[in-house]
Amino acid sequence: MLEAESSASTHDAVVVGAGFAGLYALQRLRNLGLSTVVLERGDDIGGTWFWNRYPGARCDVESLQYSYSFSDELQQEWSWSERFASQGEILRYINYVADRFDLRRDITLNTSVVRAHYDDASAMWDIASADGRVYRARYVVFATGCLSVPVEPEINGLDAFQGRILRTSTWPKEGVDFAGKRVAIIGTGSSGIQCTPVIAEQADHLFVLQRTPNYSVPGRNQPMDPDFESDWKKNYREHRLAALATRSNNLFNAGTVPGRQVSFEEREREFERRWQVGGLGFVYAYPDMTSDPEVNKHATDFVHRKIAEKVKKPEVAARLVPSEYPIGGRRLCVDNGYYETFNRDNVTLIDLRTEPLLGMTRDGFRTAGGEHVIDMLVLATGFDAFTGALSRIDVRGRNGLSLNDKWADGPDTYLGICVSGFPNLFMITGPGSPSVLSNVVLAIEMHVNWIADCVAHARARQARVIEANTDAEVEWVDKVAALAQGTLISKTKSWYTGANVAGKTSKYFLYMGGTPAYMRELQQAGPDNDCPGLSIA
Ligand code: NA7
């Protein structure tokens, strides 16, 4: 029991997080008639798009797809200005949605949730913030994001550095002036790859400290074509349904004929065509891109050649070519001029594999090759994905069971939404669901709709408790593991497998069966079938 419980404010539901997921959860739960409050640690809404405001931040899903589908009026009235929306435009969109659906009145900002304890007797959750406020609610919905807790890298002497340290994951709202500055960036994942070209254009000198090269395809971002947009809007519903019928609920014009069945020359033409179109569609050229070694090697070699063509100095190109893993093992990056940046005179690539980083000094950084003076250090070093946010909250279910204890060997869930022993707790895009392998806005809507339908079902039966059955959870965990078995993703070290966080249990965090199969699972597990994997009492 929490100390300030007597002064707790009581609600039907508490939603934690006011990003895409939290806002839609509020909208749906409120429409069910539930008194709902959203608690957000930031001083404004937007989640990922609130925090990651580094220069060059942009979505890698096309803007007409990376948006809510729940309201056709919204779909029709909002206009995206570019093929891939910038962070700023997505944040404006989220704010527009909050105003349009009058969501702000139920959102409490500057509220960092630190504890959520379930009380068996009342079947209620007591949720406490860092500043001691307590909220009681029947339901708690964690809309805390898959990539919301940054990893603080272990770098010797970081405290000794007298210059400015910036993090892509918590970029200053007022922006940063790089003019005349010597800058170093650590991290060459999506965040690093996106901001490198922009910082290079402004800074006096930029050092890019690369530990593992990543694969990146050109985004070929461009202003929105008004004809394309209006055509899309005329058939929005059909486009959404078509997207949901694909594995990643994303229209990439995915190829259906296996690459193995076509000639090398034909594959080469198709890779080139997709390379020119730009974006993540490159890895959807063939259904066996990541499963057939020959097709995968061809795609990998193709990108290696492209890097060598773009980067003028062969020794620099050689360092940028990923050799540790084939394409598709990690999340593919989408860039706007990343490789070309290394042709600039004011950019130096430092390969930490051959020239290890020894640490920071007062005035810069030191590698095995010597010391470099810098004014600013940018950390683009990634996130404690999937479980990071929940593991930092003291969540306790039945009989005081701690979620961290329950998940000591990995995050067992039912559908990636519920956890047995934790009644009335829901996660949106939680571990064990497709989450980041899909267009996450539609994945969020799918989860919120399922949760809302289950809550409505329970309320219609005047039930107080919705809880995943242990058997159903075990079955789900086995299914997730079986689907991941042998995949390139499961064999490659990355944040997808938890390998980027020291000591993190490497388990299967993602459902890899694709969206249509996952939707069938949700349908079978939902109220239409009387929620067979849940105890509703
Ligand atoms: P990522 O993709 O996890 O990238 C983090 C990068 O930081 C990666 O290149 C890491 O190298 C590097 N890193 C981390 N720690 C260190 C240390 N100590 N020294 C040197 N380099 C380090 O995170 P992002 O933010 O770029 O992208 C995450 C997702 O957000 C992205 O896929 C989109 O979906 C949005 P490593 O590869 O571990 O050797």
Side-chain angles (χ1 to χ4, degrees):
M1 187 169 287
L2 300 169
E3 63 276 3
E5 193 184 292
S6 55
S7 59
S9 61
T10 304
H11 311 266
D12 292 321
V14 163
V15 176
V16 186
F20 266 106
L23 294 190
Y24 184 49
L26 171 59
Q27 161 78 356
R28 274 295 323 254
L29 295 175
R30 193 199 261 174
N31 285 349
L32 281 184
L34 270 67
S35 68
T36 305
V37 63
V38 179
L39 307 177
E40 165 56 51
R41 78 186 150 105
D43 66 16
D44 212 337
I45 63 170
T48 287
W49 301 104
F50 170 80
W51 297 102
N52 291 267
R53 53 179 77 220
Y54 57 84
R58 193 174 288 286
C59 189
D60 57 9
V61 174
E62 293 195 19
S63 47
L64 282 159
Q65 300 195 57
Y66 193 84
S67 50
Y68 289 117
S69 70
F70 71 85
S71 158
D72 193 47
E73 292 79 12
L74 173 65
Q75 292 189 140
Q76 296 301 330
E77 66 202 26
W78 182 265
S79 268
W80 295 101
S81 68
E82 293 177 275
R83 177 182 177 196
F84 294 103
S86 66
Q87 169 272 333
E89 188 163 23
I90 298 172
L91 193 58
R92 283 196 292 284
Y93 170 77
I94 291 172
N95 276 277
Y96 176 82
V97 172
D99 290 333
R100 192 189 187 291
F101 296 96
D102 189 22
L103 300 176
R104 283 185 209 277
R105 64 185 158 90
D106 289 323
I107 301 173
T108 306
L109 301 170
N110 300 304
T111 304
S112 196
V113 169
V114 292
R115 277 173 297 176
H117 290 185
Y118 181 71
D119 175 35
D120 284 280
S122 60
M124 299 281 281
W125 282 90
D126 292 315
I127 297 131
S129 64
D131 58 6
R133 278 169 288 156
V134 180
Y135 302 78
R136 295 210 99 198
R138 173 74 67 217
Y139 305 107
V140 61
V141 180
F142 286 100
T144 38
C146 297
L147 293 155
S148 51
V149 175
V151 174
E152 190 64 19
E154 284 180 20
I155 297 172
N156 291 333
L158 200 55
D159 292 343
F161 178 55
Q162 299 284 293
R164 189 167 181 197
I165 300 178
L166 297 150
R167 291 170 176 80
T168 50
S169 51
T170 47
W171 201 260
K173 273 188 188 167
E174 64 281 8
V176 178
D177 183 5
F178 290 104
K181 304 289 185 203
R182 291 170 67 80
V183 184
I185 177 164
I186 301 182
T188 52
S190 282
S191 306
I193 280 179
Q194 286 190 337
C195 66
T196 287
V198 187
I199 298 175
E201 270 175 22
Q202 299 167 15
D204 180 52
H205 199 91
L206 176 65
F207 296 90
V208 179
L209 278 59
Q210 170 194 267
R211 192 165 66 180
T212 312
N214 276 298
Y215 290 91
S216 186
V217 293
R220 308 210 189 279
N221 186 36
Q222 58 192 48
M224 181 63 71
D225 173 349
D227 293 339
F228 179 75
E229 184 187 14
S230 75
D231 273 358
W232 190 281
K233 285 185 172 181
K234 275 184 207 140
N235 301 300
Y236 228 133
R237 192 180 137 71
E238 287 70 25
H239 289 307
R240 296 295 196 183
L241 290 173
L244 290 172
T246 68
R247 280 184 68 81
S248 58
N249 70 42
N250 221 320
L251 289 171
F252 287 127
N253 200 10
T256 50
V257 177
R260 173 64 84 152
Q261 287 177 19
V262 301
S263 68
F264 181 90
E265 290 71 26
E266 191 175 333
R267 282 201 306 254
E268 186 72 12
R269 276 194 299 278
E270 182 60 6
F271 290 153
E272 181 61 34
R273 194 185 68 73
R274 287 179 181 260
W275 188 267
Q276 294 309 327
V277 169
L280 294 172
F282 183 80
V283 282
Y284 292 88
Y286 299 105
D288 52 356
M289 278 280 274
T290 55
S291 57
D292 185 287
E294 182 188 309
V295 181
N296 184 253
K297 179 161 185 334
H298 187 174
T300 299
D301 290 347
F302 180 91
V303 180
H304 288 181
R305 274 186 270 130
K306 285 291 183 191
I307 297 171
E309 279 167 24
K310 284 181 185 219
V311 181
K312 288 188 188 132
K313 289 185 186 148
E315 68 280 12
V316 177
R319 281 183 254 143
L320 287 165
V321 166
S323 55
E324 282 87 348
Y325 65 98
I327 197 163
R330 287 176 164 202
R331 190 177 179 97
L332 187 63
C333 302
V334 178
D335 70 272
N336 287 291
Y338 177 66
Y339 294 116
E340 293 83 345
T341 301
F342 294 94
N343 294 329
R344 298 176 66 103
D345 292 336
N346 71 333
V347 174
T348 306
L349 175 68
I350 296 187
D351 186 345
L352 300 177
R353 295 167 299 180
T354 53
E355 191 183 332
L357 177 63
L358 302 178
M360 299 304 294
T361 62
R362 198 182 70 112
D363 299 318
F365 65 95
R366 181 178 290 127
T367 67
E371 183 168 355
H372 300 276
V373 174
I374 55 167
D375 305 295
M376 294 176 172
L377 173 68
V378 176
L379 296 176
T381 43
F383 298 88
D384 183 353
F386 310 116
T387 53
L390 267 170
S391 70
R392 282 158 179 82
I393 299 172
D394 174 20
V395 180
R396 288 174 194 270
R398 279 195 194 283
N399 306 313
L401 174 66
S402 139
L403 188 62
N404 281 332
D405 286 348
K406 161 136 184 159
W407 282 1
D409 295 327
D412 293 353
T413 70
Y414 175 54
L415 301 166
I417 302 178
C418 307
V419 187
S420 72
F422 295 79
N424 297 345
L425 176 152
F426 301 100
M427 298 166 297
I428 300 174
T429 63
S433 76
S435 69
V436 297
L437 292 184
S438 59
N439 173 358
V440 86
V441 182
L442 298 192
I444 283 167
E445 289 186 329
M446 216 178 276
H447 272 189
V448 170
N449 290 337
W450 192 86
I451 293 165
D453 291 347
C454 289
V455 167
H457 181 68
R459 282 164 67 89
R461 292 166 58 170
Q462 297 185 328
R464 291 198 315 168
V465 170
I466 305 172
E467 183 179 0
N469 295 331
T470 311
D471 291 355
E473 184 173 279
V474 169
E475 205 178 305
W476 184 254
V477 170
D478 289 348
K479 196 174 280 185
V480 168
L483 285 165
Q485 201 70 40
T487 59
L488 212 47
I489 284 179
S490 69
K491 288 190 279 191
T492 309
K493 286 187 173 177
S494 77
W495 58 266
Y496 277 163
T497 54
N500 67 325
V501 177
K504 185 162 175 171
T505 309
S506 184
K507 214 168 178 185
Y508 303 117
F509 296 94
L510 289 159
Y511 172 88
M512 296 193 202
T515 296
Y518 185 72
M519 283 170 70
R520 280 195 297 279
E521 297 279 4
L522 287 186
Q523 166 71 21
Q524 281 158 14
D528 289 350
N529 288 314
D530 212 18
C531 302
L534 300 175
S535 292
I536 297 179

